[in-house]
Amino acid sequence: MANNNYQLHLKGYVGSWDFDADYVDYVLGKNKDKEVAVLIDSPGGQLSTALSISSAFKRHGNVHAHFVGMNASAATIASMGAKHITMDRSAMYLVHQCALPFFEYGSLNASGMQQLIENLGKAKTDLEKMDANVATMYATRCKKEPKALLDLMKVGGWLTAQEALDWGFVDELTSFEDESAPVLTASLAADFQANGIPLPNVPKSKSEETFFQKMAQAFAAVFKPTQVNNQHTPKPMNIIFKNICKTLACEHLASEEGKVTLTEAQLSDLECTMQASHDMIAELSIKVKSAEEENKKLSEAKTKLEETNKALEAQVANLPAASTTAIVDDKKQAEHEPTAYEEFINAGATARKLYDSLP
């Protein structure tokens, strides 16, 4: 099938603008009664988006998905709802266990450590449920037992197109002239590294030969061939720099030998953020300086008011005492001569006493 015959081209990160569930729904809605051909070429991404797209393919009922290039994890899950799946003979296919980013520097006491253990236990349970769900989807497609697919996911190794066909992930292999063999570029290798995905055994870009010679030595110590068993594929360290990741809108940064590689777009985001912070600091500096000057003026005004108040208090203290013409005589007034009425009363009282004293 020629590239110009596809109604949908799903490439890049699953969940980004070029591998979006809403756009898939839109295209499928415009072709309800027609077969929809979908070209998929993606290193994976969000499980939630992959499940949504797989469900949309299944509801439509007549979707033909075709794989080219190197496809991993969420990209393979998204195709599970297609009616027919084909794959270019030179393409690669990878299934692996679901993962959550985890690594954070810090210090914990016993209580904090216990809380971390409980949180990790819950996260582990969630991941096991996700793995079981995805393994069941694969098993239904491949017509095999879920345990066999779960074991394959635990290994997490790349499959050739023939191996993907033998497992039952795809229904048919193709050899179209307009589809070239995948080439591993430095950017794609960095993306695989950041998500803990082993490098596939495909040709490397000649212009990046020196880069891959260094990368091969690093990955040789990290990803070692394993047989199908219950062991986890080792992954490089993913470090969470909270503020930097928040600025770059990413979950974590991959560290290789103590070094972290950023893209030009990420550096541009950091530059813009730093410039915005610089402008904000300059603006705050002006406001602080203005506030300091205003505070200085208020302090000077307060000092003047205190000096004026002291001067007024001194003037009040020097004012003369209030004068008065009222004279208060606190001495007992001298006894006065009795009036005629008072003498009459006193005589009557005396006579009464004499009368009462007679036998």
Side-chain angles (χ1 to χ4, degrees), residues 201-256:
N201 185 23
V202 298
K204 286 77 176 179
S205 174
K206 292 182 178 180
S207 60
E208 297 164 338
E209 206 169 88
T210 302
F211 170 84
F212 281 104
Q213 289 174 350
K214 295 179 180 179
M215 291 292 292
Q217 296 177 358
F219 277 99
V222 179
F223 299 105
K224 298 179 180 179
T226 57
Q227 300 298 321
V228 176
N229 52 38
N230 292 327
Q231 296 179 352
H232 294 269
T233 302
K235 297 182 179 180
M237 182 179 295
N238 292 328
I239 303 176
I240 299 177
F241 298 96
K242 288 185 177 179
N243 294 323
I244 296 178
C245 289
K246 183 177 180 181
T247 301
L248 300 178
C250 64
E251 295 179 343
H252 57 259
L253 296 173
S255 175
E256 178 68 24

Side-chain angles (χ1 to χ4, degrees), residues 15-186:
S16 63
W17 66 271
D18 50 356
F19 208 130
D20 179 67
D22 290 337
Y23 183 63
V24 169
D25 289 338
Y26 170 75
V27 174
L28 295 180
K30 291 182 62 178
N31 298 273
K32 292 183 178 180
D33 300 323
K34 302 177 183 178
E35 181 187 67
V36 176
V38 183
L39 180 68
I40 302 178
D41 182 3
S42 166
Q46 296 178 352
L47 174 61
S48 57
T49 300
L51 293 174
S52 296
I53 292 176
S54 175
S55 178
F57 286 171
K58 188 174 183 179
R59 291 195 307 271
H60 183 278
N62 193 13
V63 173
H64 172 194
H66 182 62
F67 285 107
V68 296
M70 291 170 286
N71 295 272
S73 56
T76 66
I77 296 170
S79 71
M80 289 295 101
K83 181 179 179 180
H84 189 65
I85 303 176
T86 58
M87 184 174 182
D88 181 71
R89 290 186 180 277
S90 62
M92 301 291 290
Y93 196 96
L94 171 67
V95 297
H96 62 81
Q97 287 182 291
C98 299
L100 291 174
F102 172 76
F103 191 92
E104 185 173 357
Y105 291 114
S107 177
L108 296 175
N109 56 25
S111 298
M113 187 68 71
Q114 181 60 40
Q115 185 62 51
L116 176 61
I117 292 172
E118 292 175 1
N119 292 340
L120 287 176
K122 293 177 182 177
K124 179 176 178 292
T125 299
D126 290 341
L127 286 173
E128 289 172 344
K129 291 179 180 179
M130 294 179 193
D131 288 340
N133 183 52
V134 173
T136 299
M137 293 177 65
Y138 286 149
T140 300
R141 186 85 201 186
C142 298
K143 295 180 176 57
K144 298 181 183 297
E145 291 297 322
K147 185 181 182 305
L149 276 301
L150 191 58
D151 288 341
L152 180 65
M153 291 167 61
K154 290 178 180 179
V155 174
W158 285 94
L159 303 177
T160 63
Q162 185 60 52
E163 289 172 331
L165 177 65
D166 293 340
W167 270 93
F169 290 111
V170 299
D171 304 309
E172 180 185 356
L173 300 185
T174 63
S175 299
F176 298 125
E177 294 182 358
D178 57 347
E179 293 175 352
S180 57
V183 175
L184 189 61
T185 63

